[in-house]
Amino acid sequence: MSESQIQLQELEHDALTELVNIGVSRAAASLRKMVGEQVFLSVPSVEVVSRRSAATLIRERETGPLVAVRQDFEGAFYGQALLIFPELNSLELVRAVTGGLLSPAEMTDMEEEALAETGNVVLNSCLATMANMLQRPLTMSLPEVLRGDGAHLFELSEESSLQAVVLFLYINFAIRDRDIRGYVAMLMDLPSLEALKALIGEFIARVIGDAAPDATTPT
């Protein structure tokens, strides 16, 4: 599968970036309620790449072990969503979520639960917002915490791996002045990506239609 097979047109990319940024801003609002402090999330880049390229992107940016929260999603488009952190960043995130009041031992005990809850908030906010704006329902599984390198995290079932693509988002977190970097990856096959592209096309048509002047309105 060539990279050219999975590229979005500029307008599709801009619309997807806008959908993602709205979703992430809602995730930030939800996290703010969890931690009781101001939370800023930003998405500097949105890319659609092959699974191999996604693993390479992670490997180039992160040399240490990774931790991820994974949830399956299903609807008009479908796949797996992952919220990925460097393992060192994950402990910093747990400190923020738990208020920094726990001992190192208590924090280790709470790590998986806190990560799962954080991943659930971020992934659900992103995907639910996208689904709502695309006017299609999505259902999501319970969160699961995984550990490993990018190649391990991006493994798919054998029957879909040959057509696997990754919608890859780089996210900056700022919680209580802590800089926590992370990634959101949506693993889909080509039919799911095509379905998402079609929904983005419908979204663009609605937005352009709403923005167009009414021909019956006198000028």
Side-chain angles (χ1 to χ4, degrees):
M1 179 180 60
S2 69
E3 297 284 322
S4 61
Q5 283 182 273
I6 56 178
Q7 291 307 305
L8 298 172
Q9 299 299 317
E10 185 176 356
L11 194 55
E12 292 172 331
H13 183 273
D14 290 346
L16 177 59
T17 302
E18 179 65 16
L19 291 170
V20 166
N21 274 293
I22 293 170
V24 165
S25 70
R26 294 188 182 175
S30 299
L31 279 177
R32 193 176 303 129
K33 292 177 184 176
M34 280 179 62
V35 303
E37 296 285 342
Q38 191 70 283
V39 176
F40 297 98
L41 302 183
S42 63
V43 184
S45 66
V46 177
E47 301 174 68
V48 180
V49 296
S50 68
R51 185 176 53 138
R52 186 185 300 274
S53 294
T56 300
L57 282 170
I58 284 277
R59 188 171 61 248
E60 288 173 348
R61 290 172 170 169
E62 308 297 342
T63 56
L66 302 170
V67 60
V69 182
R70 183 176 68 192
Q71 291 181 266
D72 296 341
F73 59 92
E74 188 172 310
F77 56 99
Y78 50 88
Q80 296 176 322
L82 295 131
L83 178 64
I84 305 167
F85 299 101
E87 199 164 50
L88 290 175
N89 267 198
S90 73
L91 289 175
E92 192 70 12
L93 182 62
V94 173
R95 284 192 191 95
V97 170
T98 58
L101 302 176
L102 301 180
S103 69
E106 289 172 325
M107 198 165 61
T108 300
D109 290 341
M110 285 284 295
E111 182 185 7
E112 298 249 331
E113 183 181 339
L115 287 174
E117 181 59 23
T118 303
N120 190 48
V121 165
V122 172
L123 295 175
N124 265 287
S125 294
C126 287
L127 284 161
T129 299
M130 288 176 64
N132 287 340
M133 296 189 73
L134 295 173
Q135 300 183 355
R136 294 294 191 280
L138 276 184
T139 58
M140 296 190 68
S141 69
L142 294 173
E144 175 187 8
V145 177
L146 307 173
R147 297 175 190 275
D149 60 14
H152 170 68
L153 297 180
F154 294 140
E155 282 293 334
L156 292 177
S157 59
E158 244 180 70
E159 63 269 19
S160 63
S161 62
L162 293 177
Q163 289 194 315
V165 295
V166 178
L167 173 57
F168 193 76
L169 321 174
Y170 179 66
I171 293 184
N172 288 326
F173 289 67
I175 304 174
R176 297 181 183 175
D177 299 322
R178 306 173 196 263
D179 290 326
I180 304 172
R181 68 185 179 274
Y183 310 87
V184 171
M186 291 169 56
L187 282 61
M188 297 177 286
D189 62 14
L190 286 177
S192 181
L193 178 64
E194 289 299 329
L196 177 58
K197 287 179 67 171
L199 292 176
I200 291 170
E202 292 175 12
F203 171 75
I204 292 168
R206 286 195 300 272
V207 170
I208 291 174
D210 290 343
D214 188 342
T216 63
T217 303
T219 56

